[in-house]
Amino acid sequence: EIVAHIQKRIGPVHMTFGEIVPGDPPISVHHVRSSLFRRYEVVVTSGMSFRSMTVPAESEEMRLAEVVAILPKGWPLSMADLQDERNYWPIRLLKTLARYPHERGTWLGYGHTLANGDSEADTKPYAEGTALCAAVLLPPMSLGEAAWSFKRADGKPVYFWAVVPL
């Protein structure tokens, strides 16, 4: 259902990056290539929404979510390119964030920020050659509102959060 939503609302999936050793939950990252009308690469997860996040009982926050990132047109995403952490870090970030709520018994939602490190003092850049070291979750405005969410066959909504590196 997630891939069908991506293909309908964002674009054709060019490549899917699976996991050699699947985690819990297993996370895949799908790449939608830039186009004449969309001058950026899109990478989006599937797997995070296989289980509900632990949202406070009284909260109206979405319990099922996936994460998406917008990368500059031409970002190196071939299997050979991704051997270099300077190219791979956005994929790693999406996978890390997609597992985060399940590993920590928590949830991710609008405006949440997460640093790359175990503490503020330990925050470090995602890779050599970038100062980016944290991310905020926001609605994926550049994809258009139709891409922000969909209802699964069971009627439960799945929301897509844009991961914006800081």
Side-chain angles (χ1 to χ4, degrees), residues 25-159:
I27 305 296
S28 294
V29 176
H30 310 280
H31 171 214
V32 178
R33 279 184 166 167
S34 60
S35 68
L36 180 62
F37 301 105
R38 189 186 52 254
R39 314 285 277 155
Y40 47 84
E41 313 296 330
V42 179
V43 285
V44 58
T45 63
S46 64
M48 180 180 176
S49 64
F50 288 174
R51 290 199 311 257
S52 293
M53 295 183 284
T54 307
V55 176
E58 67 283 356
S59 176
E60 295 295 318
E61 290 294 331
M62 294 290 185
R63 287 172 161 65
L64 299 171
E66 297 291 344
V67 287
V68 59
I70 306 299
L71 300 174
K73 181 178 180 168
W75 186 273
L77 289 169
S78 74
M79 294 308 284
D81 292 326
L82 294 178
Q83 299 304 309
D84 185 336
E85 187 64 25
R86 292 172 296 181
N87 300 327
Y88 183 69
W89 72 263
I91 306 299
R92 181 182 311 286
L93 176 59
L94 288 183
K95 288 182 176 186
T96 300
L97 292 176
R99 276 208 189 83
Y100 182 86
H102 303 299
E103 290 175 346
R104 307 281 175 105
T106 190
W107 59 286
L108 294 176
Y110 178 78
H112 284 191
T113 56
L114 293 117
N116 186 35
D118 294 327
S119 69
E120 188 175 333
D122 188 36
T123 299
K124 58 188 178 288
Y126 290 117
E128 181 183 317
T130 183
L132 299 169
C133 62
V136 62
L137 298 180
L138 299 170
M141 301 295 281
S142 59
L143 297 180
E145 205 167 328
W148 295 8
S149 66
F150 77 98
K151 283 196 178 181
R152 299 189 320 192
D154 63 8
K156 294 180 181 178
V158 176
Y159 197 81

